[in-house]
Amino acid sequence: MSPGLERRTGSGPGWARCFAALAVLVAGCSAGRCGSGASGTGPLSPSERRAMPGVISFLSERAGQKDVWLVTPTGDERQLTRGPEDEYPGPASPNGRALLVISSTELQGQSFQQLRLVPLDGGPEVPLHLPRTRSRNASWSPDGAWLVAESDAKGFSDVVRLSPRAGMPELPLTQVAQGCFEPAVSPSGAEVAFACSSEEGDPEIYVAHADGTSPRRITTFYREDRTPQWSPDGQWLSFVSNREQRERVYRVRADGSELRALSGEAFAGDEREAAWSPDGQRLVYVSRLPEGKSRIWVVPAAGGAPQALTDGTHRDDMPAWSPDGKYLVFVSERDAEVDLYLMRADGTGQTRLTTAKGADWLPRWFVQR
């Protein structure tokens, strides 16, 4: 399931999955460099925040339901959606002028979802299809002319290609009875990566042409490989696997070669939520720790020891890079509220960004062009 469709409160599975108790390692955190502590060298100055590019979309429960909001790095907020359905932020269009939103509503005990395109200039929302029980994990083509998503329009779960306009036909890219999930369009737009149940019945990573033809299997293992993400140069894929009987983030070339765990020997709890830096040189990821805590790390894409950016005494997760790669926004409940925080890419200057009552989470940072 997409993290954007998991409940994110103190008692929901987005915050309180059951994880095995694992020893907490601090490799890569030498000389006291763990983001210089939970509060960094704190807080970022107003002038530094004004110089940060772009805007951050996020999900907020401050109104008693899930709505999409926008916030600038200086803290200026604007509510983008107002229900009555629960609405989750998807990725912004490549030009940053519209946001994909997943609308979710309950009818007779069943959840129905709909992808909608919401212009940021206040124009009307554009529904991309009729409500259905599965429509999520969207990914844009680089030119914004099309996108892919999970869909159950013609099967349990297929990857489909859609146009960002109402009433347009969909092109199924996969047709596998056991399901395909979590598509990601390559930076060139020529290929799509996705997780798909293999002939052996376990999820593996596949890559196909943008029209769904010539699929090739990238991973081969008897456990689960999922959530593929392209590097900015299109040469690598990151993904999460439990092949070591624990969740770890791996990196592999798009032809299936040179597979390895990103954190090397420095495993520090179940890993997930990996994100490539805009220059492709680093990845940030989250390790889940005992007692419901989590910690944010950054690691060189070429290999090396991970550096802990937060100290593991809180739930810190869902990191997203600034468009220039100099900062991260993340989610924390260190002040007894679930809020967004900013920090420099080295973990310093950790600063609370949202302060309203009610959980704020699922941030995405983008710029308008």
Side-chain angles (χ1 to χ4, degrees), residues 26 28 37 45 50 62 80 98 105 113 158 169 173 178 181 188 237 244 248 274 318:
V26 293
S45 69
R50 283 194 297 270
R62 63 185 67 182
L80 188 64
T105 188
Q113 300 165 6
D158 287 311
L173 302 187
Q178 294 84 3
F181 315 90
S188 69
L237 288 162
E244 297 179 28
R248 295 200 75 178
M318 291 193 171

PDB file of all heavy atoms in Angstrom, residues 26 28 37 45 50 62 80 98 105 113 158 169 173 178 181 188 237 244 248 274 318:
ATOM      1  N   VAL A  26      25.208   2.409  15.535  1.00  0.00           N
ATOM      2  CA  VAL A  26      25.495   3.815  15.259  1.00  0.00           C
ATOM      3  C   VAL A  26      26.676   3.959  14.319  1.00  0.00           C
ATOM      4  O   VAL A  26      27.380   4.958  14.338  1.00  0.00           O
ATOM      5  CB  VAL A  26      25.744   4.610  16.565  1.00  0.00           C
ATOM      6  CG1 VAL A  26      24.475   4.699  17.367  1.00  0.00           C
ATOM      7  CG2 VAL A  26      26.866   3.975  17.386  1.00  0.00           C
ATOM      8  N   GLY A  28      28.809   4.971  11.223  1.00  0.00           N
ATOM      9  CA  GLY A  28      28.666   6.139  10.366  1.00  0.00           C
ATOM     10  C   GLY A  28      28.269   7.373  11.141  1.00  0.00           C
ATOM     11  O   GLY A  28      27.935   8.388  10.572  1.00  0.00           O
ATOM     12  N   GLY A  37      22.649  16.099  17.070  1.00  0.00           N
ATOM     13  CA  GLY A  37      21.589  15.952  18.047  1.00  0.00           C
ATOM     14  C   GLY A  37      20.227  16.204  17.458  1.00  0.00           C
ATOM     15  O   GLY A  37      20.067  16.586  16.315  1.00  0.00           O
ATOM     16  N   SER A  45      17.837  30.107  10.381  1.00  0.00           N
ATOM     17  CA  SER A  45      17.522  31.525  10.463  1.00  0.00           C
ATOM     18  C   SER A  45      16.421  31.886   9.464  1.00  0.00           C
ATOM     19  O   SER A  45      16.254  31.216   8.437  1.00  0.00           O
ATOM     20  CB  SER A  45      18.758  32.369  10.165  1.00  0.00           C
ATOM     21  OG  SER A  45      19.122  32.257   8.801  1.00  0.00           O
ATOM     22  N   ARG A  50      14.144  31.904   3.903  1.00  0.00           N
ATOM     23  CA  ARG A  50      13.619  32.680   2.765  1.00  0.00           C
ATOM     24  C   ARG A  50      14.345  32.335   1.468  1.00  0.00           C
ATOM     25  O   ARG A  50      13.769  32.446   0.384  1.00  0.00           O
ATOM     26  CB  ARG A  50      13.736  34.177   3.057  1.00  0.00           C
ATOM     27  CG  ARG A  50      12.682  34.707   4.016  1.00  0.00           C
ATOM     28  CD  ARG A  50      12.634  36.236   3.992  1.00  0.00           C
ATOM     29  NE  ARG A  50      13.889  36.830   4.436  1.00  0.00           N
ATOM     30  CZ  ARG A  50      14.157  37.142   5.710  1.00  0.00           C
ATOM     31  NH1 ARG A  50      13.257  36.908   6.666  1.00  0.00           N
ATOM     32  NH2 ARG A  50      15.331  37.685   6.035  1.00  0.00           N
ATOM     33  N   ARG A  62      -5.639  18.466  10.648  1.00  0.00           N
ATOM     34  CA  ARG A  62      -5.989  19.503  11.614  1.00  0.00           C
ATOM     35  C   ARG A  62      -7.470  19.845  11.596  1.00  0.00           C
ATOM     36  O   ARG A  62      -7.994  20.377  12.582  1.00  0.00           O
ATOM     37  CB  ARG A  62      -5.148  20.760  11.345  1.00  0.00           C
ATOM     38  CG  ARG A  62      -5.381  21.399   9.990  1.00  0.00           C
ATOM     39  CD  ARG A  62      -4.432  22.562   9.729  1.00  0.00           C
ATOM     40  NE  ARG A  62      -3.046  22.125   9.600  1.00  0.00           N
ATOM     41  CZ  ARG A  62      -2.026  22.969   9.398  1.00  0.00           C
ATOM     42  NH1 ARG A  62      -2.252  24.278   9.293  1.00  0.00           N
ATOM     43  NH2 ARG A  62      -0.800  22.518   9.283  1.00  0.00           N
ATOM     44  N   LEU A  80      -5.270  23.512   0.277  1.00  0.00           N
ATOM     45  CA  LEU A  80      -5.508  23.272  -1.146  1.00  0.00           C
ATOM     46  C   LEU A  80      -6.805  22.520  -1.391  1.00  0.00           C
ATOM     47  O   LEU A  80      -7.516  22.812  -2.357  1.00  0.00           O
ATOM     48  CB  LEU A  80      -4.333  22.503  -1.744  1.00  0.00           C
ATOM     49  CG  LEU A  80      -4.342  22.325  -3.264  1.00  0.00           C
ATOM     50  CD1 LEU A  80      -4.229  23.672  -3.973  1.00  0.00           C
ATOM     51  CD2 LEU A  80      -3.211  21.397  -3.705  1.00  0.00           C
ATOM     52  N   ALA A  98       0.497  22.080 -10.903  1.00  0.00           N
ATOM     53  CA  ALA A  98      -0.661  21.311 -10.473  1.00  0.00           C
ATOM     54  C   ALA A  98      -0.185  20.161  -9.607  1.00  0.00           C
ATOM     55  O   ALA A  98       0.983  19.742  -9.679  1.00  0.00           O
ATOM     56  CB  ALA A  98      -1.451  20.790 -11.678  1.00  0.00           C
ATOM     57  N   THR A 105     -12.819   7.733  -0.272  1.00  0.00           N
ATOM     58  CA  THR A 105     -14.076   7.793   0.455  1.00  0.00           C
ATOM     59  C   THR A 105     -14.570   6.392   0.754  1.00  0.00           C
ATOM     60  O   THR A 105     -14.214   5.428   0.052  1.00  0.00           O
ATOM     61  CB  THR A 105     -15.144   8.564  -0.346  1.00  0.00           C
ATOM     62  OG1 THR A 105     -16.303   8.762   0.456  1.00  0.00           O
ATOM     63  CG2 THR A 105     -15.535   7.806  -1.611  1.00  0.00           C
ATOM     64  N   GLN A 113     -11.229   5.140  -4.451  1.00  0.00           N
ATOM     65  CA  GLN A 113     -10.183   6.132  -4.675  1.00  0.00           C
ATOM     66  C   GLN A 113     -10.318   6.739  -6.063  1.00  0.00           C
ATOM     67  O   GLN A 113     -10.820   6.103  -6.992  1.00  0.00           O
ATOM     68  CB  GLN A 113      -8.809   5.470  -4.526  1.00  0.00           C
ATOM     69  CG  GLN A 113      -8.582   4.875  -3.153  1.00  0.00           C
ATOM     70  CD  GLN A 113      -7.417   3.918  -3.110  1.00  0.00           C
ATOM     71  OE1 GLN A 113      -6.687   3.769  -4.095  1.00  0.00           O
ATOM     72  NE2 GLN A 113      -7.223   3.259  -1.974  1.00  0.00           N
ATOM     73  N   ASP A 158      -3.124  -3.464 -11.619  1.00  0.00           N
ATOM     74  CA  ASP A 158      -2.284  -3.329 -12.801  1.00  0.00           C
ATOM     75  C   ASP A 158      -1.646  -1.946 -12.825  1.00  0.00           C
ATOM     76  O   ASP A 158      -2.128  -1.003 -12.196  1.00  0.00           O
ATOM     77  CB  ASP A 158      -3.107  -3.520 -14.080  1.00  0.00           C
ATOM     78  CG  ASP A 158      -3.498  -4.972 -14.304  1.00  0.00           C
ATOM     79  OD1 ASP A 158      -2.615  -5.844 -14.213  1.00  0.00           O
ATOM     80  OD2 ASP A 158      -4.689  -5.234 -14.555  1.00  0.00           O
ATOM     81  N   PRO A 169      -8.990   7.624 -22.361  1.00  0.00           N
ATOM     82  CA  PRO A 169      -8.827   6.185 -22.116  1.00  0.00           C
ATOM     83  C   PRO A 169      -7.502   5.886 -21.415  1.00  0.00           C
ATOM     84  O   PRO A 169      -6.543   6.651 -21.505  1.00  0.00           O
ATOM     85  CB  PRO A 169      -8.867   5.581 -23.524  1.00  0.00           C
ATOM     86  CG  PRO A 169      -8.424   6.688 -24.423  1.00  0.00           C
ATOM     87  CD  PRO A 169      -8.944   7.957 -23.808  1.00  0.00           C
ATOM     88  N   LEU A 173      -0.475  -1.299 -18.797  1.00  0.00           N
ATOM     89  CA  LEU A 173       0.899  -1.674 -19.110  1.00  0.00           C
ATOM     90  C   LEU A 173       1.239  -3.070 -18.611  1.00  0.00           C
ATOM     91  O   LEU A 173       2.207  -3.680 -19.069  1.00  0.00           O
ATOM     92  CB  LEU A 173       1.878  -0.668 -18.508  1.00  0.00           C
ATOM     93  CG  LEU A 173       1.711   0.793 -18.927  1.00  0.00           C
ATOM     94  CD1 LEU A 173       2.859   1.625 -18.380  1.00  0.00           C
ATOM     95  CD2 LEU A 173       1.625   0.931 -20.438  1.00  0.00           C
ATOM     96  N   GLN A 178      -1.795 -11.834 -10.221  1.00  0.00           N
ATOM     97  CA  GLN A 178      -1.391 -11.609  -8.828  1.00  0.00           C
ATOM     98  C   GLN A 178      -1.102 -10.149  -8.524  1.00  0.00           C
ATOM     99  O   GLN A 178      -0.930  -9.784  -7.373  1.00  0.00           O
ATOM    100  CB  GLN A 178      -0.143 -12.452  -8.511  1.00  0.00           C
ATOM    101  CG  GLN A 178      -0.381 -13.948  -8.548  1.00  0.00           C
ATOM    102  CD  GLN A 178      -0.293 -14.522  -9.954  1.00  0.00           C
ATOM    103  OE1 GLN A 178       0.009 -13.781 -10.911  1.00  0.00           O
ATOM    104  NE2 GLN A 178      -0.549 -15.815 -10.098  1.00  0.00           N
ATOM    105  N   PHE A 181       2.520  -3.319  -8.941  1.00  0.00           N
ATOM    106  CA  PHE A 181       2.367  -2.217  -8.008  1.00  0.00           C
ATOM    107  C   PHE A 181       3.503  -1.199  -8.154  1.00  0.00           C
ATOM    108  O   PHE A 181       4.538  -1.476  -8.739  1.00  0.00           O
ATOM    109  CB  PHE A 181       2.379  -2.749  -6.560  1.00  0.00           C
ATOM    110  CG  PHE A 181       1.533  -3.969  -6.345  1.00  0.00           C
ATOM    111  CD1 PHE A 181       2.065  -5.241  -6.503  1.00  0.00           C
ATOM    112  CD2 PHE A 181       0.202  -3.853  -6.002  1.00  0.00           C
ATOM    113  CE1 PHE A 181       1.294  -6.370  -6.303  1.00  0.00           C
ATOM    114  CE2 PHE A 181      -0.582  -4.975  -5.803  1.00  0.00           C
ATOM    115  CZ  PHE A 181      -0.042  -6.239  -5.955  1.00  0.00           C
ATOM    116  N   SER A 188      14.154   9.597 -18.280  1.00  0.00           N
ATOM    117  CA  SER A 188      14.043   9.863 -19.715  1.00  0.00           C
ATOM    118  C   SER A 188      12.619   9.709 -20.230  1.00  0.00           C
ATOM    119  O   SER A 188      12.299  10.163 -21.330  1.00  0.00           O
ATOM    120  CB  SER A 188      14.954   8.902 -20.493  1.00  0.00           C
ATOM    121  OG  SER A 188      14.450   7.566 -20.411  1.00  0.00           O
ATOM    122  N   LEU A 237      18.427   1.787  -9.832  1.00  0.00           N
ATOM    123  CA  LEU A 237      17.159   1.705  -9.122  1.00  0.00           C
ATOM    124  C   LEU A 237      17.444   1.405  -7.651  1.00  0.00           C
ATOM    125  O   LEU A 237      18.295   0.563  -7.340  1.00  0.00           O
ATOM    126  CB  LEU A 237      16.285   0.584  -9.683  1.00  0.00           C
ATOM    127  CG  LEU A 237      15.666   0.810 -11.057  1.00  0.00           C
ATOM    128  CD1 LEU A 237      15.225  -0.518 -11.658  1.00  0.00           C
ATOM    129  CD2 LEU A 237      14.482   1.766 -10.965  1.00  0.00           C
ATOM    130  N   GLU A 244      16.921 -10.503   3.459  1.00  0.00           N
ATOM    131  CA  GLU A 244      17.729 -10.888   4.618  1.00  0.00           C
ATOM    132  C   GLU A 244      16.844 -11.119   5.845  1.00  0.00           C
ATOM    133  O   GLU A 244      17.332 -11.106   6.974  1.00  0.00           O
ATOM    134  CB  GLU A 244      18.761  -9.810   4.920  1.00  0.00           C
ATOM    135  CG  GLU A 244      19.774  -9.581   3.805  1.00  0.00           C
ATOM    136  CD  GLU A 244      20.763  -8.488   4.152  1.00  0.00           C
ATOM    137  OE1 GLU A 244      21.033  -8.269   5.344  1.00  0.00           O
ATOM    138  OE2 GLU A 244      21.275  -7.845   3.215  1.00  0.00           O
ATOM    139  N   ARG A 248      15.482  -3.909   4.076  1.00  0.00           N
ATOM    140  CA  ARG A 248      16.688  -3.139   3.776  1.00  0.00           C
ATOM    141  C   ARG A 248      16.521  -2.438   2.439  1.00  0.00           C
ATOM    142  O   ARG A 248      15.783  -2.898   1.560  1.00  0.00           O
ATOM    143  CB  ARG A 248      17.921  -4.031   3.714  1.00  0.00           C
ATOM    144  CG  ARG A 248      18.291  -4.682   5.026  1.00  0.00           C
ATOM    145  CD  ARG A 248      19.736  -5.145   5.043  1.00  0.00           C
ATOM    146  NE  ARG A 248      20.658  -4.017   5.194  1.00  0.00           N
ATOM    147  CZ  ARG A 248      21.983  -4.163   5.276  1.00  0.00           C
ATOM    148  NH1 ARG A 248      22.523  -5.361   5.211  1.00  0.00           N
ATOM    149  NH2 ARG A 248      22.763  -3.106   5.408  1.00  0.00           N
ATOM    150  N   ALA A 274      13.345   5.302   1.029  1.00  0.00           N
ATOM    151  CA  ALA A 274      14.552   5.848   0.409  1.00  0.00           C
ATOM    152  C   ALA A 274      14.190   6.895  -0.634  1.00  0.00           C
ATOM    153  O   ALA A 274      13.187   6.770  -1.339  1.00  0.00           O
ATOM    154  CB  ALA A 274      15.366   4.732  -0.235  1.00  0.00           C
ATOM    155  N   MET A 318       9.705   9.937   6.734  1.00  0.00           N
ATOM    156  CA  MET A 318       9.171  10.559   5.523  1.00  0.00           C
ATOM    157  C   MET A 318      10.026  11.725   5.019  1.00  0.00           C
ATOM    158  O   MET A 318       9.520  12.810   4.718  1.00  0.00           O
ATOM    159  CB  MET A 318       7.729  11.008   5.731  1.00  0.00           C
ATOM    160  CG  MET A 318       6.765   9.863   5.874  1.00  0.00           C
ATOM    161  SD  MET A 318       5.041  10.385   5.746  1.00  0.00           S
ATOM    162  CE  MET A 318       4.238   8.780   5.675  1.00  0.00           C
TER     163      MET A 318
END
